[in-house]
Amino acid sequence: MPKDSPSPLIELRNVQKHIGAQQILRGLDLSILHGESLGIIGGSGTGKSVTLKLIMGLMSVTSGSIKVDGVEITTLNERQLGPHRRKIGMLFQDGALFDSLSLEENVAFPLREAGERDHRKIAAAVQEVLEDVGLADHKEKLPPALSGGMRKRAALARAVITKPQCILYDEPTAGLDPIVSDSIDHLIRRTQRRYGCTAVFVTHDMKSLRTVADRVVYLRDGVIYFSGTPAELFTSTDPVIHQFVTGESGETS
Ligand SMILES: Nc1ncnc2c1ncn2[C@@H]1O[C@H](COP(=O)(O)OP(=O)(O)OP(=O)(O)O)[C@@H](O)[C@H]1O
Ligand SMILES: [Mg+2]
């Protein structure tokens, strides 16, 4: 590899994942480069969320290898996974905020988990990320009192507060209105550029891909069917890709 070409931060090799009788991943190979913004697309139930959970070490592979920053994570135990998980922030598909904690406490949570005890440092870091996501005036609110878009922003603030090397976003704009979606997309892009972190995001939103992704992979039948830039994806003449991108079911009514 040439000296200045980016090296992979995350490498999945021949990853297979069975859940019960179902084979979800069938030998997935995927390299995610330092600092890139990678979009993952694919039909519902094809294993996109499972792939993110495998990278986080929240699920274990059936076989194959996952290296993060050069460390093989598939053989680590729960205790050893702690430092690994701190390198990676994750925005879960449902936000996964704690309903009984205020917005401020939710966002501070990963810093406390990482062992930070200095109250002033924590308050300053929380203020900074909440300003970034436009929620600084809502610190005291509990998650049920926030709108869907605000909860996504809050979850984003919580995912970035420890300044992880990499952030995994599971459908960050699903269910949001187009304007809020666009602001979340830009927020993800800004976060990636500002902290130089690697961004991996699952989406069904083709507009998001154009705004956020340097590269896109299309997961199909448990393997990567396509990898390329958003422009290459949208101009592909492959009928399978074309159908997915245009969202035509082929049904008539
Ligand atoms: N904890 C689990 N227990 C049993 N089956 C699971 C579990 N998690 C995922 N699966 C199954 O694995 C398959 C892939 O699920 P996954 O959540 O990764 O899909 P996805 O690609 O993220 O879909 P969507 O776009 O709908 O979010 C599905 O068939 C799902 O039912
Ligand atoms: Mg999913």
Side-chain angles (χ1 to χ4, degrees), residues 30-215:
L30 176 63
S31 295
I32 303 170
L33 305 180
H34 274 281
E36 84 169 323
S37 170
L38 177 78
I40 301 180
I41 58 171
S44 191
T46 50
K48 303 180 298 299
S49 296
V50 164
T51 301
L52 296 189
K53 286 175 189 164
L54 291 174
I55 293 171
M56 259 323 249
L58 295 172
M59 272 186 169
S60 51
V61 299
T62 305
S63 64
S65 152
I66 300 180
K67 282 191 182 157
V68 177
D69 220 6
V71 176
E72 178 65 47
I73 64 148
T74 56
T75 50
L76 300 182
N77 61 31
E78 253 323 287
R79 190 179 52 78
Q80 294 166 324
L81 279 167
H84 159 67
R85 292 200 187 114
R86 280 196 283 280
K87 288 183 194 166
I88 302 181
M90 178 145 176
L91 185 82
F92 288 91
Q93 198 160 358
D94 57 6
L97 296 169
F98 303 113
D99 279 354
S100 59
L101 298 184
S102 70
L103 173 55
E104 185 174 20
E105 289 161 343
N106 261 288
V107 173
F109 190 83
L111 278 184
R112 295 191 203 282
E113 279 283 280
E116 182 59 68
R117 293 285 171 264
D118 183 330
H119 296 297
R120 271 191 303 188
K121 260 196 194 159
I122 293 174
V126 168
Q127 180 68 22
E128 186 190 335
V129 291
L130 284 181
E131 278 175 14
D132 237 15
V133 299
L135 288 177
D137 296 337
H138 303 273
K139 272 188 232 162
E140 310 303 325
K141 286 190 178 158
L142 296 177
L146 301 173
S147 73
M150 290 162 92
R151 277 201 292 276
K152 291 268 188 193
R153 286 165 172 269
L156 188 64
R158 195 178 59 175
V160 302
I161 193 155
T162 52
K163 302 196 171 39
Q165 280 183 29
C166 175
I167 306 181
L168 312 176
Y169 303 92
D170 200 348
E171 299 199 30
T173 60
L176 303 180
D177 78 48
I179 294 173
V180 175
S181 291
D182 189 61
S183 74
I184 296 270
D185 286 341
H186 285 288
L187 206 54
I188 292 174
R189 205 41 158 167
R190 268 208 313 277
T191 306
Q192 180 225 359
R193 292 197 170 132
R194 180 170 311 169
Y195 302 122
C197 64
T198 306
V200 181
F201 67 102
V202 169
T203 190
H204 288 288
D205 183 342
M206 297 299 135
K207 184 169 175 288
S208 288
L209 284 180
R210 290 181 207 272
T211 311
V212 188
D214 298 318
R215 185 163 69 96

